[in-house]
Amino acid sequence: MSGKRLSRRRVLRAGATALGGGAVALAGNAGAGAAPAQAPAIATGTQTGRTFRGLVRHDATLDVQEMRLLPIDPRQVVIRSLAVAPCYTIVRGALGTNAIRRAEVPNHCGFGVVEAVGPMVKRVQVGDRVVVAGTSQCGQCYQCLHGRPDYCQFTFFSNAPGVEPFAPFAQFRDGTPVYAQAGIGGMSEIMTAFEEYCVPVFTDLPAAQLTLLGDQLASGFAAGHADMVFQPGSDVVVFGAGPVGLGAVQAARVMGAGQVIVVDPIKYRREFAMKMGATFTLDATAEGDGIVERIRELCRGPNDRRFAGGVSWGRAANAVISRGADFVVEAAGLQTLPPKVEPQPDPANVKTVLHAWDCTRAGGHVMLMGFTLQPVPFPGASLALFGRTIHPGQQGGLHVMRDIPRYVKLIEKGKIDAQSVITKRYTLDQSRQAVQDTADRTIITGVIEFS
Ligand SMILES: [Zn+2]
Ligand SMILES: [Zn+2]
């Protein structure tokens, strides 16, 4: 027991620091005096000590462990998980076999039912079903006030070097603290998220579909209408037919794109993209560097008479730059582990980013969603002169409180197909396999359903 007390003290210290780190968001909150009246019957800490299970990366392994819940912050929410889809960005860290310094529940999104709230929480109530999104929207930080909640400072706040941004939310039986990745986790029966990440949804849609709105599907769909906006009849190109890229394909379909060209080395994903709204697919491996001219040809249009609205097709450089797609989404990303299906021809993703840029017409728009860890050499004169707008791909420009409720309606109306992109379902005990299958790319999206 003394180990537990020691750990609690450590937890409280870390918790105070985390709160300090989030002070930007806190400072603007409504008067504390108003909070108690709105607080529901279950107050902070009443669930402390509750035991639950979850997938944990600890020591040199990843397995399902039993944990005990620690006290929550006054602005945190206790959520009983219903469903979660592991994101490809977590697979390398989660499946690694190196010994790590702290235990952590992987992932950065989820879906569940609110079971308790801290006394300062206003956005959600006990009983609400909530999407826990990968990005917060506090509504009060500098970024939120300037129309960029996709860069909400509650998500992108800085902390003192060496200080954990979020306190641990649970502990093992022996008192070892357990953290949630990005302060969210998601692959455990209980999550404790700050309310800024929680989006209540009022619908009867199944949890397995709604959990896709916390990250992959929502981010991909946002790519076509949140910051970068696909125009009806336009040429759209999507690199990568994974869960994110397919969200962009669906956005192109819903927004009425003229043609939707999908590039992916994996055959089953290209075939699946056609069912989601692609009008043409290209094999990234077979096309190689010729992909750019191939796409330009596909976007050539029915005539090259510039006075008749056609794309000029002369040989001079100033004619070449006007060729290409109106909107391009790079959602191929880094290949962090070798897949069991066709590998990416460009695992570092540097060339793919340049291909995406190059096949965008002058004055067109390109969104870079996939990570590239190496420098990408853009020709400076082209950056200045070609008039291509680069949009940042962080969650596709998603404003979680504005957009997730919209996407719920679009799923209800059958406009967004969230059902078909779920290729496999797992129990918590099979959750490690869900991460492995995500890494192997043998599935589009795997969903872990909690019983
Ligand atoms: Zn993610
Ligand atoms: Zn904010």
Side-chain angles (χ1 to χ4, degrees):
M1 287 310 280
S2 66
K4 185 179 165 191
R5 274 201 300 276
L6 180 67
S7 170
R8 286 267 167 80
R9 275 203 300 277
R10 229 185 289 133
V11 163
L12 285 170
R13 263 208 315 274
T17 317
L19 204 58
V24 174
L26 254 180
N29 275 353
Q38 294 174 10
I42 301 175
T44 309
T46 54
Q47 298 221 346
T48 303
R50 168 181 184 176
T51 59
F52 62 99
R53 299 192 321 137
L55 190 67
V56 185
R57 174 78 164 89
H58 63 105
D59 302 317
T61 191
L62 173 73
D63 58 15
V64 175
Q65 289 281 332
E66 188 174 288
M67 292 164 269
R68 248 195 309 256
L69 193 63
L70 290 170
I72 59 169
D73 181 274
R75 283 174 27 265
Q76 268 182 322
V77 179
V78 178
I79 298 152
R80 178 168 53 82
S81 296
L82 295 175
V84 64
C87 176
Y88 187 80
T89 55
I90 64 129
V91 299
R92 190 183 171 91
L95 294 170
T97 50
N98 56 313
I100 57 167
R101 66 184 169 83
R102 59 172 214 174
E104 183 179 87
V105 173
N107 222 41
H108 45 244
C109 63
F111 182 80
V113 178
V114 174
E115 292 210 333
V117 297
M120 291 176 71
V121 170
K122 291 185 293 183
R123 188 180 291 182
V124 300
Q125 301 179 355
V126 171
D128 283 351
R129 297 208 306 160
V130 293
V131 174
V132 181
T135 306
S136 58
Q137 183 169 352
C138 77
Q140 289 157 338
C141 73
Y142 189 91
Q143 297 288 6
C144 282
L145 292 173
H146 288 76
R148 292 314 296 252
D150 46 334
Y151 289 90
C152 174
Q153 286 179 290
F154 198 80
T155 301
F156 299 94
F157 64 81
S158 58
N159 224 325
V163 176
E164 295 287 354
F166 296 99
F169 81 116
Q171 61 183 192
F172 289 150
R173 280 186 182 282
D174 67 0
T176 303
V178 182
Y179 293 81
Q181 187 170 12
I184 297 168
M187 300 187 71
S188 55
E189 290 170 332
I190 299 293
M191 278 183 282
T192 60
F194 278 86
E195 68 169 325
E196 287 81 358
Y197 293 90
C198 298
V199 180
V201 290
F202 304 92
T203 174
D204 294 329
L205 286 171
Q209 294 184 31
L210 292 167
T211 197
L212 307 184
L213 298 183
D215 191 8
Q216 302 99 316
L217 176 59
S219 302
F221 196 87
H225 87 94
D227 180 36
M228 181 166 85
V229 184
F230 294 158
Q231 297 296 310
S234 59
D235 292 327
V236 172
V237 176
V238 179
F239 285 84
V244 176
L246 289 166
V249 171
Q250 295 212 47
R253 187 192 69 225
V254 171
M255 301 292 279
Q259 64 172 340
V260 186
I261 301 164
V262 172
V263 184
D264 200 288
I266 305 169
K267 185 163 181 279
Y268 88 85
R269 290 192 169 186
R270 291 197 304 274
E271 290 168 359
F272 188 77
M274 292 298 285
K275 294 181 189 151
M276 291 292 103
T279 57
F280 199 86
T281 64
L282 292 166
D283 177 351
T285 306
E287 299 293 335
D289 288 337
I291 190 95
V292 173
E293 271 309 306
R294 191 73 197 281
I295 288 169
R296 286 173 177 165
E297 279 290 342
L298 287 165
C299 299
R300 187 170 185 153
N303 84 86
D304 63 356
R305 290 160 46 196
R306 69 188 161 100
F307 296 114
V311 177
S312 174
W313 212 251
R315 306 300 295 176
N318 60 356
V320 171
I321 65 168
S322 62
R323 302 172 185 174
D326 301 304
F327 298 96
V328 179
V329 177
E330 189 285 298
L334 202 60
Q335 178 184 287
T336 55
L337 291 171
K340 280 193 176 161
V341 291
E342 299 92 321
Q344 277 173 232
D346 172 36
N349 208 42
V350 173
K351 270 190 172 184
T352 310
V353 169
L354 287 171
H355 288 161
W357 157 262
D358 272 338
C359 72
T360 307
R361 70 165 165 84
H365 297 258
V366 54
M367 177 173 281
L368 305 177
M369 301 190 81
F371 291 167
T372 312
L373 300 180
Q374 295 170 21
V376 183
F378 287 102
S382 317
L383 273 175
L385 289 175
F386 282 15
R388 294 168 179 156
T389 303
I390 298 179
H391 298 260
Q394 140 57 21
Q395 283 230 276
L398 184 74
H399 296 193
V400 298
M401 281 295 282
R402 178 194 67 184
D403 296 330
I404 289 175
R406 286 178 172 176
Y407 299 169
V408 167
K409 287 183 207 165
L410 291 176
I411 297 173
E412 286 176 335
K413 288 169 71 74
K415 299 276 187 190
I416 295 179
D417 181 354
Q419 173 69 29
S420 302
V421 294
I422 302 169
T423 23
K424 202 166 172 187
R425 292 168 193 256
Y426 307 80
T427 63
L428 175 59
D429 286 315
Q430 299 164 330
S431 57
R432 191 185 194 288
Q433 189 60 43
V435 178
Q436 186 66 54
D437 291 347
T438 303
D440 292 343
R441 297 195 149 152
T442 50
I443 53 171
I444 301 285
T445 310
V447 172
I448 296 149
E449 293 177 298
F450 296 86
S451 46

